Structures are given as C-alpha cells and as structure tokens.
PDB file of all heavy atoms in Angstrom:
ATOM      1  N   PRO A   1     227.003 152.340  45.184  1.00 69.00           N
ATOM      2  CA  PRO A   1     225.553 152.153  45.225  1.00 69.00           C
ATOM      3  C   PRO A   1     225.011 151.319  44.063  1.00 69.00           C
ATOM      4  O   PRO A   1     223.854 150.924  44.088  1.00 69.00           O
ATOM      5  CB  PRO A   1     225.005 153.570  45.201  1.00 69.00           C
ATOM      6  CG  PRO A   1     226.121 154.459  44.848  1.00 69.00           C
ATOM      7  CD  PRO A   1     227.399 153.732  45.073  1.00 69.00           C
ATOM      8  N   ASN A   2     225.833 151.043  43.064  1.00 75.00           N
ATOM      9  CA  ASN A   2     225.377 150.248  41.924  1.00 75.00           C
ATOM     10  C   ASN A   2     225.697 148.767  42.080  1.00 75.00           C
ATOM     11  O   ASN A   2     225.604 148.011  41.117  1.00 75.00           O
ATOM     12  CB  ASN A   2     226.001 150.769  40.627  1.00 75.00           C
ATOM     13  CG  ASN A   2     225.557 152.181  40.342  1.00 75.00           C
ATOM     14  OD1 ASN A   2     224.413 152.537  40.598  1.00 75.00           O
ATOM     15  ND2 ASN A   2     226.454 152.990  39.825  1.00 75.00           N
ATOM     16  N   THR A   3     226.069 148.351  43.259  1.00 78.00           N
ATOM     17  CA  THR A   3     226.383 146.942  43.513  1.00 78.00           C
ATOM     18  C   THR A   3     225.415 146.388  44.547  1.00 78.00           C
ATOM     19  O   THR A   3     224.656 147.128  45.174  1.00 78.00           O
ATOM     20  CB  THR A   3     227.817 146.792  44.043  1.00 78.00           C
ATOM     21  OG1 THR A   3     227.923 147.472  45.297  1.00 78.00           O
ATOM     22  CG2 THR A   3     228.843 147.343  43.062  1.00 78.00           C
ATOM     23  N   ALA A   4     225.473 145.086  44.748  1.00 80.00           N
ATOM     24  CA  ALA A   4     224.602 144.455  45.744  1.00 80.00           C
ATOM     25  C   ALA A   4     224.926 144.983  47.143  1.00 80.00           C
ATOM     26  O   ALA A   4     224.017 145.238  47.944  1.00 80.00           O
ATOM     27  CB  ALA A   4     224.766 142.943  45.698  1.00 80.00           C
ATOM     28  N   ASP A   5     226.201 145.172  47.436  1.00 78.00           N
ATOM     29  CA  ASP A   5     226.581 145.719  48.744  1.00 78.00           C
ATOM     30  C   ASP A   5     226.013 147.125  48.942  1.00 78.00           C
ATOM     31  O   ASP A   5     225.547 147.477  50.019  1.00 78.00           O
ATOM     32  CB  ASP A   5     228.098 145.759  48.911  1.00 78.00           C
ATOM     33  CG  ASP A   5     228.699 144.387  49.086  1.00 78.00           C
ATOM     34  OD1 ASP A   5     227.973 143.478  49.532  1.00 78.00           O
ATOM     35  OD2 ASP A   5     229.889 144.225  48.786  1.00 78.00           O
ATOM     36  N   GLY A   6     226.057 147.906  47.890  1.00 76.00           N
ATOM     37  CA  GLY A   6     225.503 149.257  47.975  1.00 76.00           C
ATOM     38  C   GLY A   6     224.008 149.242  48.201  1.00 76.00           C
ATOM     39  O   GLY A   6     223.475 150.042  48.972  1.00 76.00           O
ATOM     40  N   GLU A   7     223.310 148.335  47.533  1.00 81.00           N
ATOM     41  CA  GLU A   7     221.860 148.235  47.733  1.00 81.00           C
ATOM     42  C   GLU A   7     221.533 147.789  49.149  1.00 81.00           C
ATOM     43  O   GLU A   7     220.584 148.279  49.756  1.00 81.00           O
ATOM     44  CB  GLU A   7     221.245 147.276  46.718  1.00 81.00           C
ATOM     45  CG  GLU A   7     221.157 147.851  45.320  1.00 81.00           C
ATOM     46  CD  GLU A   7     220.348 149.134  45.265  1.00 81.00           C
ATOM     47  OE1 GLU A   7     219.306 149.229  45.953  1.00 81.00           O
ATOM     48  OE2 GLU A   7     220.756 150.051  44.547  1.00 81.00           O
ATOM     49  N   LEU A   8     222.322 146.859  49.684  1.00 82.00           N
ATOM     50  CA  LEU A   8     222.104 146.434  51.065  1.00 82.00           C
ATOM     51  C   LEU A   8     222.328 147.592  52.032  1.00 82.00           C
ATOM     52  O   LEU A   8     221.603 147.743  53.017  1.00 82.00           O
ATOM     53  CB  LEU A   8     223.008 145.253  51.406  1.00 82.00           C
ATOM     54  CG  LEU A   8     222.649 143.940  50.710  1.00 82.00           C
ATOM     55  CD1 LEU A   8     223.707 142.890  51.012  1.00 82.00           C
ATOM     56  CD2 LEU A   8     221.274 143.457  51.134  1.00 82.00           C
ATOM     57  N   GLN A   9     223.322 148.420  51.752  1.00 79.00           N
ATOM     58  CA  GLN A   9     223.546 149.580  52.599  1.00 79.00           C
ATOM     59  C   GLN A   9     222.404 150.586  52.476  1.00 79.00           C
ATOM     60  O   GLN A   9     222.025 151.235  53.447  1.00 79.00           O
ATOM     61  CB  GLN A   9     224.879 150.235  52.273  1.00 79.00           C
ATOM     62  CG  GLN A   9     226.051 149.444  52.785  1.00 79.00           C
ATOM     63  CD  GLN A   9     227.375 150.154  52.565  1.00 79.00           C
ATOM     64  OE1 GLN A   9     227.443 151.212  51.962  1.00 79.00           O
ATOM     65  NE2 GLN A   9     228.432 149.543  53.069  1.00 79.00           N
ATOM     66  N   ASN A  10     221.832 150.725  51.278  1.00 79.00           N
ATOM     67  CA  ASN A  10     220.676 151.604  51.098  1.00 79.00           C
ATOM     68  C   ASN A  10     219.494 151.112  51.927  1.00 79.00           C
ATOM     69  O   ASN A  10     218.809 151.903  52.582  1.00 79.00           O
ATOM     70  CB  ASN A  10     220.267 151.669  49.626  1.00 79.00           C
ATOM     71  CG  ASN A  10     221.237 152.455  48.792  1.00 79.00           C
ATOM     72  OD1 ASN A  10     222.014 153.245  49.311  1.00 79.00           O
ATOM     73  ND2 ASN A  10     221.200 152.236  47.500  1.00 79.00           N
ATOM     74  N   ILE A  11     219.243 149.806  51.901  1.00 82.00           N
ATOM     75  CA  ILE A  11     218.138 149.232  52.673  1.00 82.00           C
ATOM     76  C   ILE A  11     218.384 149.421  54.165  1.00 82.00           C
ATOM     77  O   ILE A  11     217.471 149.775  54.919  1.00 82.00           O
ATOM     78  CB  ILE A  11     217.951 147.745  52.320  1.00 82.00           C
ATOM     79  CG1 ILE A  11     217.452 147.617  50.879  1.00 82.00           C
ATOM     80  CG2 ILE A  11     216.977 147.067  53.271  1.00 82.00           C
ATOM     81  CD1 ILE A  11     217.496 146.197  50.342  1.00 82.00           C
ATOM     82  N   ALA A  12     219.618 149.209  54.593  1.00 82.00           N
ATOM     83  CA  ALA A  12     219.950 149.385  56.013  1.00 82.00           C
ATOM     84  C   ALA A  12     219.763 150.837  56.436  1.00 82.00           C
ATOM     85  O   ALA A  12     219.255 151.114  57.529  1.00 82.00           O
ATOM     86  CB  ALA A  12     221.384 148.926  56.276  1.00 82.00           C
ATOM     87  N   ALA A  13     220.147 151.778  55.577  1.00 79.00           N
ATOM     88  CA  ALA A  13     219.987 153.192  55.908  1.00 79.00           C
ATOM     89  C   ALA A  13     218.506 153.553  55.995  1.00 79.00           C
ATOM     90  O   ALA A  13     218.091 154.292  56.889  1.00 79.00           O
ATOM     91  CB  ALA A  13     220.685 154.058  54.864  1.00 79.00           C
ATOM     92  N   PHE A  14     217.698 153.031  55.080  1.00 78.00           N
ATOM     93  CA  PHE A  14     216.256 153.282  55.117  1.00 78.00           C
ATOM     94  C   PHE A  14     215.662 152.720  56.397  1.00 78.00           C
ATOM     95  O   PHE A  14     214.868 153.383  57.073  1.00 78.00           O
ATOM     96  CB  PHE A  14     215.580 152.655  53.895  1.00 78.00           C
ATOM     97  CG  PHE A  14     214.089 152.783  53.912  1.00 78.00           C
ATOM     98  CD1 PHE A  14     213.484 153.970  53.548  1.00 78.00           C
ATOM     99  CD2 PHE A  14     213.294 151.720  54.297  1.00 78.00           C
ATOM    100  CE1 PHE A  14     212.105 154.099  53.575  1.00 78.00           C
ATOM    101  CE2 PHE A  14     211.920 151.835  54.321  1.00 78.00           C
ATOM    102  CZ  PHE A  14     211.319 153.027  53.954  1.00 78.00           C
ATOM    103  N   SER A  15     216.046 151.506  56.749  1.00 80.00           N
ATOM    104  CA  SER A  15     215.518 150.870  57.963  1.00 80.00           C
ATOM    105  C   SER A  15     215.923 151.644  59.211  1.00 80.00           C
ATOM    106  O   SER A  15     215.117 151.821  60.126  1.00 80.00           O
ATOM    107  CB  SER A  15     216.016 149.433  58.073  1.00 80.00           C
ATOM    108  OG  SER A  15     215.604 148.691  56.960  1.00 80.00           O
ATOM    109  N   ALA A  16     217.164 152.097  59.254  1.00 80.00           N
ATOM    110  CA  ALA A  16     217.623 152.853  60.412  1.00 80.00           C
ATOM    111  C   ALA A  16     216.852 154.159  60.543  1.00 80.00           C
ATOM    112  O   ALA A  16     216.464 154.555  61.642  1.00 80.00           O
ATOM    113  CB  ALA A  16     219.124 153.128  60.300  1.00 80.00           C
ATOM    114  N   GLY A  17     216.609 154.820  59.436  1.00 80.00           N
ATOM    115  CA  GLY A  17     215.830 156.057  59.474  1.00 80.00           C
ATOM    116  C   GLY A  17     214.391 155.796  59.853  1.00 80.00           C
ATOM    117  O   GLY A  17     213.762 156.587  60.567  1.00 80.00           O
ATOM    118  N   PHE A  18     213.849 154.697  59.384  1.00 80.00           N
ATOM    119  CA  PHE A  18     212.460 154.354  59.668  1.00 80.00           C
ATOM    120  C   PHE A  18     212.264 154.052  61.149  1.00 80.00           C
ATOM    121  O   PHE A  18     211.246 154.430  61.735  1.00 80.00           O
ATOM    122  CB  PHE A  18     212.060 153.147  58.817  1.00 80.00           C
ATOM    123  CG  PHE A  18     210.590 152.866  58.810  1.00 80.00           C
ATOM    124  CD1 PHE A  18     209.714 153.718  58.179  1.00 80.00           C
ATOM    125  CD2 PHE A  18     210.093 151.743  59.425  1.00 80.00           C
ATOM    126  CE1 PHE A  18     208.359 153.456  58.173  1.00 80.00           C
ATOM    127  CE2 PHE A  18     208.748 151.467  59.431  1.00 80.00           C
ATOM    128  CZ  PHE A  18     207.869 152.330  58.798  1.00 80.00           C
ATOM    129  N   THR A  19     213.227 153.402  61.783  1.00 80.00           N
ATOM    130  CA  THR A  19     213.085 153.047  63.195  1.00 80.00           C
ATOM    131  C   THR A  19     213.197 154.263  64.108  1.00 80.00           C
ATOM    132  O   THR A  19     212.729 154.220  65.239  1.00 80.00           O
ATOM    133  CB  THR A  19     214.132 152.005  63.627  1.00 80.00           C
ATOM    134  OG1 THR A  19     215.435 152.521  63.373  1.00 80.00           O
ATOM    135  CG2 THR A  19     213.936 150.701  62.896  1.00 80.00           C
ATOM    136  N   ARG A  20     213.811 155.338  63.627  1.00 83.00           N
ATOM    137  CA  ARG A  20     213.924 156.545  64.447  1.00 83.00           C
ATOM    138  C   ARG A  20     212.652 157.379  64.441  1.00 83.00           C
ATOM    139  O   ARG A  20     212.517 158.299  65.245  1.00 83.00           O
ATOM    140  CB  ARG A  20     215.094 157.399  63.959  1.00 83.00           C
ATOM    141  CG  ARG A  20     216.439 156.808  64.299  1.00 83.00           C
ATOM    142  CD  ARG A  20     217.551 157.813  64.070  1.00 83.00           C
ATOM    143  NE  ARG A  20     217.623 158.241  62.680  1.00 83.00           N
ATOM    144  CZ  ARG A  20     218.509 157.801  61.809  1.00 83.00           C
ATOM    145  NH1 ARG A  20     219.402 156.906  62.183  1.00 83.00           N
ATOM    146  NH2 ARG A  20     218.536 158.242  60.579  1.00 83.00           N
ATOM    147  N   LEU A  21     211.722 157.091  63.539  1.00 84.00           N
ATOM    148  CA  LEU A  21     210.482 157.859  63.482  1.00 84.00           C
ATOM    149  C   LEU A  21     209.578 157.498  64.646  1.00 84.00           C
ATOM    150  O   LEU A  21     209.593 156.370  65.141  1.00 84.00           O
ATOM    151  CB  LEU A  21     209.748 157.584  62.174  1.00 84.00           C
ATOM    152  CG  LEU A  21     210.405 158.094  60.899  1.00 84.00           C
ATOM    153  CD1 LEU A  21     209.594 157.658  59.700  1.00 84.00           C
ATOM    154  CD2 LEU A  21     210.541 159.598  60.922  1.00 84.00           C
ATOM    155  N   SER A  22     208.768 158.456  65.058  1.00 87.00           N
ATOM    156  CA  SER A  22     207.793 158.184  66.108  1.00 87.00           C
ATOM    157  C   SER A  22     206.583 159.094  65.897  1.00 87.00           C
ATOM    158  O   SER A  22     206.650 160.076  65.151  1.00 87.00           O
ATOM    159  CB  SER A  22     208.398 158.420  67.491  1.00 87.00           C
ATOM    160  OG  SER A  22     208.773 159.778  67.631  1.00 87.00           O
ATOM    161  N   GLY A  23     205.501 158.729  66.528  1.00 90.00           N
ATOM    162  CA  GLY A  23     204.291 159.544  66.490  1.00 90.00           C
ATOM    163  C   GLY A  23     203.642 159.563  65.119  1.00 90.00           C
ATOM    164  O   GLY A  23     203.638 158.559  64.391  1.00 90.00           O
ATOM    165  N   PRO A  24     203.101 160.728  64.731  1.00 91.00           N
ATOM    166  CA  PRO A  24     202.365 160.824  63.466  1.00 91.00           C
ATOM    167  C   PRO A  24     203.242 160.568  62.235  1.00 91.00           C
ATOM    168  O   PRO A  24     202.777 160.037  61.236  1.00 91.00           O
ATOM    169  CB  PRO A  24     201.821 162.244  63.444  1.00 91.00           C
ATOM    170  CG  PRO A  24     202.147 162.869  64.738  1.00 91.00           C
ATOM    171  CD  PRO A  24     203.040 161.949  65.496  1.00 91.00           C
ATOM    172  N   ARG A  25     204.518 160.931  62.314  1.00 89.00           N
ATOM    173  CA  ARG A  25     205.394 160.696  61.153  1.00 89.00           C
ATOM    174  C   ARG A  25     205.566 159.205  60.909  1.00 89.00           C
ATOM    175  O   ARG A  25     205.603 158.762  59.772  1.00 89.00           O
ATOM    176  CB  ARG A  25     206.751 161.343  61.385  1.00 89.00           C
ATOM    177  CG  ARG A  25     206.708 162.837  61.277  1.00 89.00           C
ATOM    178  CD  ARG A  25     208.085 163.418  61.382  1.00 89.00           C
ATOM    179  NE  ARG A  25     208.037 164.861  61.209  1.00 89.00           N
ATOM    180  CZ  ARG A  25     209.075 165.637  61.250  1.00 89.00           C
ATOM    181  NH1 ARG A  25     210.269 165.119  61.473  1.00 89.00           N
ATOM    182  NH2 ARG A  25     208.956 166.926  61.086  1.00 89.00           N
ATOM    183  N   ARG A  26     205.697 158.431  61.968  1.00 89.00           N
ATOM    184  CA  ARG A  26     205.829 156.983  61.821  1.00 89.00           C
ATOM    185  C   ARG A  26     204.545 156.400  61.242  1.00 89.00           C
ATOM    186  O   ARG A  26     204.580 155.539  60.365  1.00 89.00           O
ATOM    187  CB  ARG A  26     206.153 156.325  63.156  1.00 89.00           C
ATOM    188  CG  ARG A  26     206.329 154.822  63.011  1.00 89.00           C
ATOM    189  CD  ARG A  26     206.823 154.193  64.315  1.00 89.00           C
ATOM    190  NE  ARG A  26     206.926 152.768  64.202  1.00 89.00           N
ATOM    191  CZ  ARG A  26     207.961 152.119  63.723  1.00 89.00           C
ATOM    192  NH1 ARG A  26     209.007 152.784  63.296  1.00 89.00           N
ATOM    193  NH2 ARG A  26     207.964 150.805  63.663  1.00 89.00           N
ATOM    194  N   THR A  27     203.396 156.881  61.718  1.00 93.00           N
ATOM    195  CA  THR A  27     202.116 156.389  61.208  1.00 93.00           C
ATOM    196  C   THR A  27     201.990 156.661  59.713  1.00 93.00           C
ATOM    197  O   THR A  27     201.593 155.783  58.944  1.00 93.00           O
ATOM    198  CB  THR A  27     200.953 157.055  61.973  1.00 93.00           C
ATOM    199  OG1 THR A  27     201.116 156.809  63.368  1.00 93.00           O
ATOM    200  CG2 THR A  27     199.622 156.524  61.505  1.00 93.00           C
ATOM    201  N   VAL A  28     202.340 157.869  59.291  1.00 93.00           N
ATOM    202  CA  VAL A  28     202.275 158.211  57.866  1.00 93.00           C
ATOM    203  C   VAL A  28     203.245 157.351  57.064  1.00 93.00           C
ATOM    204  O   VAL A  28     202.912 156.866  55.975  1.00 93.00           O
ATOM    205  CB  VAL A  28     202.559 159.716  57.658  1.00 93.00           C
ATOM    206  CG1 VAL A  28     202.733 160.039  56.193  1.00 93.00           C
ATOM    207  CG2 VAL A  28     201.444 160.553  58.255  1.00 93.00           C
ATOM    208  N   ALA A  29     204.449 157.120  57.587  1.00 89.00           N
ATOM    209  CA  ALA A  29     205.429 156.295  56.878  1.00 89.00           C
ATOM    210  C   ALA A  29     204.941 154.858  56.748  1.00 89.00           C
ATOM    211  O   ALA A  29     205.081 154.242  55.687  1.00 89.00           O
ATOM    212  CB  ALA A  29     206.773 156.336  57.598  1.00 89.00           C
ATOM    213  N   VAL A  30     204.365 154.310  57.816  1.00 90.00           N
ATOM    214  CA  VAL A  30     203.851 152.941  57.772  1.00 90.00           C
ATOM    215  C   VAL A  30     202.717 152.830  56.755  1.00 90.00           C
ATOM    216  O   VAL A  30     202.675 151.894  55.941  1.00 90.00           O
ATOM    217  CB  VAL A  30     203.376 152.494  59.176  1.00 90.00           C
ATOM    218  CG1 VAL A  30     202.578 151.212  59.102  1.00 90.00           C
ATOM    219  CG2 VAL A  30     204.566 152.320  60.100  1.00 90.00           C
TER     220      VAL A  30
END
C-alpha cells in the first residue's frame, strides 16, 4: 500500500465500493 501500485489498488477498491451503493447511502456518499 505504500507504492503507486498500492495506491491505485486503493482507488480501485474505493470506486468498486462506491458503485455498489444505491439509494440514500449513495446520495450521502456523493
């Protein structure tokens, strides 16, 4: 996680979690 590859994986994990949200939780996250 302390490398560029690790940071890219962190961003990808955040994006994947963000896309699974729906309804009021997605609105609050946005």
Side-chain angles (χ1 to χ4, degrees):
N2 297 323
T3 63
D5 289 336
E7 286 302 320
L8 290 174
Q9 286 185 356
N10 288 341
I11 292 169
F14 176 79
S15 300
F18 192 69
T19 58
R20 288 192 299 258
L21 292 176
S22 62
R25 287 185 177 180
R26 181 173 177 85
T27 304
V28 170
V30 168

